[in-house]
Amino acid sequence: MGKSDFLSPKAIANCIKSKGLQKLRWYCQMCQKQCRDENGFKCHCMSESHQRQLLLASENPQQFMDYFSEEFRNDFLELLRRRFGTKRVHNNVVYNEYISHREHVHMNATQWETLTDFTKWLGREGLCKVDETPKGWYIQYIDRDPETLRRQQEQERKKKQDLDDEEKTAKFIEQQVRRGLEGKELEMPVYTELNRQNEGEKVTFNLNKGANTSMAACFKTSVLGQNALKMVEGAVKRKEAAHRSGQPKAKKKKSALDEIMELEEEKKRTCRRDYWLQPEIVVKIITKKLGEKYHKKKAVVKEVIDKYTAIVKVIDSGDKLKLDQTHLETVIPAPGKKVMVLNGGYRGNEGILESINEKRFSVTITIDSGPLKGRRVEDIQYEDVSKLA
């Protein structure tokens, strides 16, 4: 009788039976053939090909056993390395996953009779870390790949280097502390006896007076500061020098507080900042990156962003642009117009332009706002003042 036709019921049944695992008792390892039932296995054992394989195995049975044992060990370790890595796992979990492959090498063809014997052998050979628990044997793969060992050594060396850097930093800080303490003797408190000269005199402790005195001293020091004290000393020395040189005395004698105020005001006038943009001032666009349409056009600053950037509105066209202060410059109006001081000690004050000094590139204004109203200020540079919109 010939073979069943393709996709016939019998052919489909045979395909279903051939899939998956079959009974181990009907598997021939020498021929690597799986039989589906007892009758098929009996027919296979009586076949000529099986008899030839038995004759070959009888000549050198140890060679075949070693071959199957090596195949089993390599496949098992490869699955353990690839699937579980260096994690600790139950040996039966790995074995069940290994035998799920249909073409695997069966353990009854190897030198190990049970999975426990194979697990112990892995531990003795140093291929895995093996430990026994009440739940069974656990194994952990030992990765001896040269690339893995190199990475581990690299990580250890980096960790050691970080520890060395921390130790060096700690040692350096300790040396700095020791160097700072050299030559300084710690003041030890001196304890004296509390003696009363007169027996009838009452013992009193005046704590508030000393506290008030120290608090007042601290308050004065914090308010005036070291700079203020230096200024006062400088003013006193200048007065003494003027008196010794025979110079005429001033009409009105200035106090030390007036000297301090004048010095602070002078210092404030000389202080400058690297940003000058202010809202509602007129500026000129000097960048050529926007084209000839906006080059050298005047605009009004509507908003200042992050001190160095401004949103400006072009006067001619009404367009709004976002520009950096390096792309803008100040505009000096005609005398009599209102201006704003953009830098220096008078920054933020509005005033009236009095005159323009073209040789020194400076202007003279009269402040008309704030506490300095009416003060005349000279020699303000062009870039420190601009026309008000």
Side-chain angles (χ1 to χ4, degrees):
M1 185 176 178
K3 291 186 178 180
S4 302
D5 297 333
F6 180 65
L7 292 182
S8 64
K10 187 173 182 180
I12 294 174
N14 291 336
C15 290
I16 294 174
K17 291 178 182 179
S18 64
K19 283 185 178 180
L21 295 176
Q22 305 292 327
K23 288 188 177 181
L24 183 59
R25 59 186 293 191
W26 297 331
Y27 179 78
C28 178
Q29 185 67 60
M30 290 298 304
C31 302
Q32 297 183 2
K33 180 177 176 58
Q34 175 70 56
C35 300
R36 288 200 294 269
D37 51 20
E38 186 177 2
N39 185 36
F41 185 71
K42 182 178 179 182
C43 294
H44 169 72
C45 293
M46 295 173 61
S47 64
E48 185 178 356
S49 60
H50 180 73
Q51 297 296 328
R52 284 199 302 269
Q53 287 294 114
L54 288 180
L55 290 175
L56 291 174
S58 62
E59 293 178 0
N60 194 353
Q62 189 64 34
Q63 179 182 358
F64 283 89
M65 184 175 290
D66 293 343
Y67 172 76
F68 290 132
S69 300
E70 185 177 359
E71 285 291 320
F72 178 82
R73 182 200 64 188
N74 293 338
D75 294 344
F76 188 91
L77 291 177
E78 178 64 22
L79 175 65
L80 178 63
R81 182 189 67 82
R82 186 180 67 252
R83 177 68 176 80
F84 302 98
T86 55
K87 296 180 181 178
R88 182 173 173 268
V89 63
H90 200 282
N91 61 348
N92 204 30
V93 174
V94 185
Y95 182 72
N96 288 334
E97 190 163 341
Y98 171 73
I99 64 176
S100 63
H101 181 56
R102 186 179 178 186
E103 304 296 332
H104 71 276
V105 177
H106 292 270
M107 183 170 285
N108 58 359
T110 64
Q111 63 183 10
W112 305 286
E113 295 182 359
T114 61
L115 181 60
T116 302
D117 295 339
F118 176 65
T119 303
K120 293 179 180 179
W121 180 85
L122 290 177
R124 288 195 301 269
E125 294 294 324
L127 299 174
C128 296
K129 293 181 180 178
V130 178
D131 60 313
E132 186 180 8
T133 64
K135 294 183 179 181
W137 288 87
Y138 282 83
I139 56 177
Q140 184 178 1
Y141 181 71
I142 301 174
D143 195 352
R144 289 190 172 87
D145 185 54
E147 184 66 21
T148 304
L149 296 177
R150 187 190 64 79
R151 285 199 302 268
Q152 291 177 356
Q153 292 176 0
E154 186 71 22
Q155 291 177 358
E156 291 178 358
R157 186 169 70 253
K158 186 177 180 181
K159 189 182 296 184
K160 185 178 180 181
Q161 185 177 359
D162 294 341
L163 292 175
D164 293 343
D165 293 341
E166 292 178 0
E167 291 177 359
K168 288 180 182 178
T169 305
K171 188 178 292 185
F172 176 75
I173 294 173
E174 186 179 354
Q175 291 177 357
Q176 293 292 330
V177 173
R178 192 183 301 112
R179 189 178 302 171
L181 294 176
E182 285 181 358
K184 292 184 180 180
E185 296 181 359
L186 296 177
E187 296 181 358
M188 299 299 293
V190 179
Y191 301 98
T192 58
E193 258 184 72
L194 183 62
N195 295 325
R196 185 166 54 180
Q197 296 177 357
N198 300 328
E199 293 294 334
E201 185 180 357
K202 294 182 179 180
V203 179
T204 59
F205 298 94
N206 195 354
L207 301 177
N208 295 330
K209 185 176 180 181
N212 292 336
T213 305
S214 61
M215 287 176 64
C218 294
F219 178 75
K220 290 180 180 178
T221 306
S222 62
V223 171
L224 295 178
Q226 296 182 356
N227 295 333
L229 294 176
K230 290 180 181 178
M231 293 176 186
V232 173
E233 292 176 359
V236 173
K237 289 181 180 178
R238 283 195 298 272
K239 287 183 179 180
E240 292 178 355
H243 182 70
R244 284 195 300 267
S245 61
Q247 293 180 356
K249 294 184 179 180
K251 293 182 181 179
K252 186 178 180 181
K253 190 176 180 181
K254 294 182 180 180
S255 64
L257 185 59
D258 293 335
E259 292 281 346
I260 294 172
M261 291 178 64
E262 288 184 2
L263 291 173
E264 287 292 335
E265 189 175 346
E266 184 68 23
K267 184 178 179 182
K268 185 178 179 181
R269 282 199 298 271
T270 57
C271 67
R272 297 182 60 82
R273 299 174 184 173
D274 58 347
Y275 55 90
W276 53 269
L277 289 172
Q278 292 285 350
E280 300 302 325
I281 63 171
V282 181
V283 293
K284 183 185 290 185
I285 302 173
I286 59 175
T287 179
K288 294 183 179 180
K289 295 181 178 180
L290 302 176
E292 295 296 332
K293 180 181 178 181
Y294 300 109
H295 184 51
K296 291 190 177 179
K297 297 293 183 179
K298 293 182 180 179
V300 179
V301 177
K302 292 299 181 181
E303 184 181 354
V304 179
I305 303 173
D306 296 334
K307 299 181 181 179
Y308 300 94
T309 309
I311 296 177
V312 300
K313 182 179 181 180
V314 182
I315 296 176
D316 293 343
S317 61
D319 297 339
K320 288 189 177 181
L321 305 173
K322 185 177 180 181
L323 298 172
D324 190 80
Q325 70 174 10
T326 55
H327 299 155
L328 303 170
E329 70 175 8
T330 58
V331 175
I332 305 299
K337 300 291 184 179
K338 294 198 68 174
V339 295
M340 177 180 285
V341 182
L342 306 177
N343 217 333
Y346 299 100
R347 176 187 178 94
N349 290 311
E350 299 178 3
I352 305 297
L353 182 63
E354 298 292 339
S355 62
I356 301 175
N357 190 343
E358 296 180 356
K359 293 183 179 179
R360 301 182 62 177
F361 302 101
S362 62
V363 297
T364 301
I365 67 170
T366 300
I367 298 175
D368 65 344
S369 64
L372 301 177
K373 185 176 180 179
R375 177 171 293 188
R376 182 184 175 90
V377 184
E378 299 179 354
D379 290 335
I380 299 180
Q381 301 298 315
Y382 284 170
E383 61 269 15
D384 294 345
V385 66
S386 187
K387 179 182 178 181
L388 271 173

